Amino acid sequence: MKLVIVGGVAGGASAAARARRMDEKAEIVILERGEHVSFANCGLPYFVGGEIRDRGSLLVQTPQSLARRFRIDVRTHSDVISIDRAAGKVKVRELQTGREYEETYDKLILAPGASPVVPPIPGADLPGVFTLRNVPDAERIKAWVESRKPASALVVGAGFIGLEMVESLSRLGLKVHLVEMVDQVLPVLDADAASFLKVELQDNGVKLHLGVQATSFELASEGLRVGLSDGSVVEAGLVILSVGVRPETGLAKAAGLELGARGGIRVDDRMRTSDPDIYAVGDAVEVRDLVTGNMELIALAGPANRQGRIAADNAVLGAERIFKGSLGTSVVRVFNLAAAHVGASAKRLARLGIEHRVSWTHSYSHATYYPGAQRMSIKLLFAPSDGRILGAQIVGGEGVDKRIDILATAITAGMSVYDLTELDLAYAPPFGAAKDPVNMSGYAAQNVLEGKVEAAQWDEPAGSGALILDVRTPMEFAAGHLPEALNLPLDDLRENLDTLPRDREILVYCRVGLRGYIGARILSQNGFQARNLSGGIVTWSAATGSGLRV
């Protein structure tokens, strides 16, 4: 049989290698429009910033290595311009020569990927305005920085690539401005979780322009003059456009293949398109969200690799392997913090009308008595009916990646917050705690579900009419507290119950929520209306932008 794959990188290259392992006799052809067939696009920002020094290390496979080991016919600079489904062939244009020819196939796998979105802003095509999607893009940015030695840069878009480029350019010594049209960084997170990143970016000298759009680019003495929608103007030596990607579906659409509601190629759970002889994988396809059940565009390397493997098995072996869907699990480094996400966010659940509950915990990466423990803040979202885990967001130092992977595994397995309390996780002082942060997040959620505590969220104290009760020590209270709060240390609470009103709700808080929980338990068992502020003043301070460092 003859398998033709359109596009390389994660999905296409994985499909080709898997197909060869499954069928030694198959004829396998990869047609790749670009210069490189398989490269680590997730590493591009770190190449620009100098952390990855060797360009060659970004090349996972080359045409030569794929030919030598797998006997795959790889043709780069080859643009597939049409598909003749009835005849089972594609038309190919060699970009370097202009020659066109036809290539037949028995099965076809489309892995066209996605292209960077370039907003229709005047001057977006000027020298010094870049997008970052492939190795040549990274080389152009790196060459610009090394030759021009700009003092400043402006990044448009505060998603994963945008934040990675902010950090990389900052590490090169540039003053960096970050422009994001919504009023937070990393929009995949909820605003309260993203607020920790906002502080970290500002602490590292990044000038944030949130809730603002770039409206124009003009040449200037510094390099470029950027007009913003709030009326301000920023001069920068280069601009990085990182406002998202758009699935490359032109070829599929022209061939009459069905597209989904999100604009991606429609595939079934076998990665088959509406044509049974054509499969599609990667950033261009819509896949099922494992939490909501909706079809979504999820442009991540991990799912693309798995899809490529499944499509190859089904195309070459006639197998019926299933791609169940994706959780969109992701992690990004932002200077000294890591931010990770899995499943659905609270804002997305609210938009879809999915009922959910939220708990915040602030634990440490390992035992606090062992040096170097770093705090991580976990926002857990779960169903009120049965505690099913719907999503999680974690921001902190070391160990964030480990915990988000545990939670991704738990969601995939259909586990609930009750199951998190029973996970038997590895513990030694340099690596974890006897009560792991994941266990702690489960305990906090369990207390909410079982009615052990009524949880309040960070945006509830203002105007609630409740008595705000701070159960920290007087020294902690003096260093900063919620407006109109009364200080009554936890250890003195029982002896002072008579001083508190029984006809008014009491909202209890501490630093991270544990003492507040104990205080709320004491009060509720003594006849008071009490709720605990989930995540304590740490969450409140970050989410409200109070400026308190607690």
Side-chain angles (χ1 to χ4, degrees), residues 195-217:
S195 62
F196 294 96
L197 299 179
K198 177 181 177 181
V199 174
E200 181 70 9
L201 288 161
Q202 291 172 328
D203 284 350
N204 282 275
V206 178
K207 175 63 176 177
L208 299 179
H209 306 266
L210 302 180
V212 174
Q213 299 181 60
T215 56
S216 65
F217 303 113

Side-chain angles (χ1 to χ4, degrees), residues 411-430:
I411 297 175
T412 302
M415 296 168 67
S416 72
V417 298
Y418 299 104
D419 297 310
L420 297 183
T421 69
E422 299 181 7
L423 289 178
D424 195 354
L425 303 174
Y427 161 58

Side-chain angles (χ1 to χ4, degrees), residues 481-502:
H481 54 81
L482 268 66
E484 302 181 4
L486 169 70
N487 183 217
L488 183 54
L490 177 63
D491 294 342
D492 301 330
L493 182 58
R494 291 181 180 88
E495 289 72 36
N496 289 276
L497 294 178
D498 291 343
T499 67
L500 299 174
R502 293 183 178 274

Side-chain angles (χ1 to χ4, degrees), residues 135-219:
V135 176
D137 289 342
E139 290 178 317
R140 282 190 287 269
I141 297 170
K142 192 175 181 66
W144 184 276
V145 172
E146 291 176 349
S147 63
R148 304 290 183 109
K149 296 181 171 48
S152 62
L154 185 141
V155 177
V156 181
F160 295 108
I161 298 298
L163 290 177
E164 289 166 350
M165 284 304 301
V166 165
E167 180 184 2
S168 293
L169 293 170
S170 295
R171 289 179 182 275
L172 291 174
L174 281 72
K175 170 66 177 178
V176 180
H177 294 258
L178 177 59
V179 175
E180 169 57 52
M181 67 181 295
V182 300
D183 195 24
Q184 68 168 87
V185 298
L186 200 56
V188 70
L189 300 186
D190 291 317
D192 47 12
S195 62
F196 294 96
L197 299 179
K198 177 181 177 181
V199 174
E200 181 70 9
L201 288 161
Q202 291 172 328
D203 284 350
N204 282 275
V206 178
K207 175 63 176 177
L208 299 179
H209 306 266
L210 302 180
V212 174
Q213 299 181 60
T215 56
S216 65
F217 303 113
E218 299 175 352
L219 294 177

Side-chain angles (χ1 to χ4, degrees), residues 387-519:
R388 182 172 67 97
I389 306 165
L390 303 175
Q393 296 162 44
I394 310 179
V395 182
E398 66 176 14
V400 166
D401 54 339
K402 170 183 173 181
R403 274 63 181 212
I404 206 69
D405 286 343
I406 294 171
L407 291 167
T409 303
I411 297 175
T412 302
M415 296 168 67
S416 72
V417 298
Y418 299 104
D419 297 310
L420 297 183
T421 69
E422 299 181 7
L423 289 178
D424 195 354
L425 303 174
Y427 161 58
F431 302 106
K435 293 180 180 178
D436 189 85
V438 172
N439 298 134
M440 294 301 295
S441 69
Y443 292 139
Q446 180 184 30
N447 287 333
V448 172
L449 289 175
E450 294 181 347
K452 298 295 191 299
V453 66
E454 290 289 331
Q457 298 304 316
W458 62 269
D459 56 350
E460 294 188 52
S464 67
L467 171 67
I468 312 298
L469 183 63
D470 188 321
V471 296
R472 298 176 299 157
T473 66
M475 184 178 297
E476 290 176 288
F477 184 81
H481 54 81
L482 268 66
E484 302 181 4
L486 169 70
N487 183 217
L488 183 54
L490 177 63
D491 294 342
D492 301 330
L493 182 58
R494 291 181 180 88
E495 289 72 36
N496 289 276
L497 294 178
D498 291 343
T499 67
L500 299 174
R502 293 183 178 274
D503 59 350
R504 183 181 176 191
E505 182 182 71
I506 301 176
L507 198 156
V508 190
Y509 78 90
C510 62
R511 182 170 179 269
V512 298
L514 179 56
R515 284 174 289 174
Y517 163 66
I518 297 171

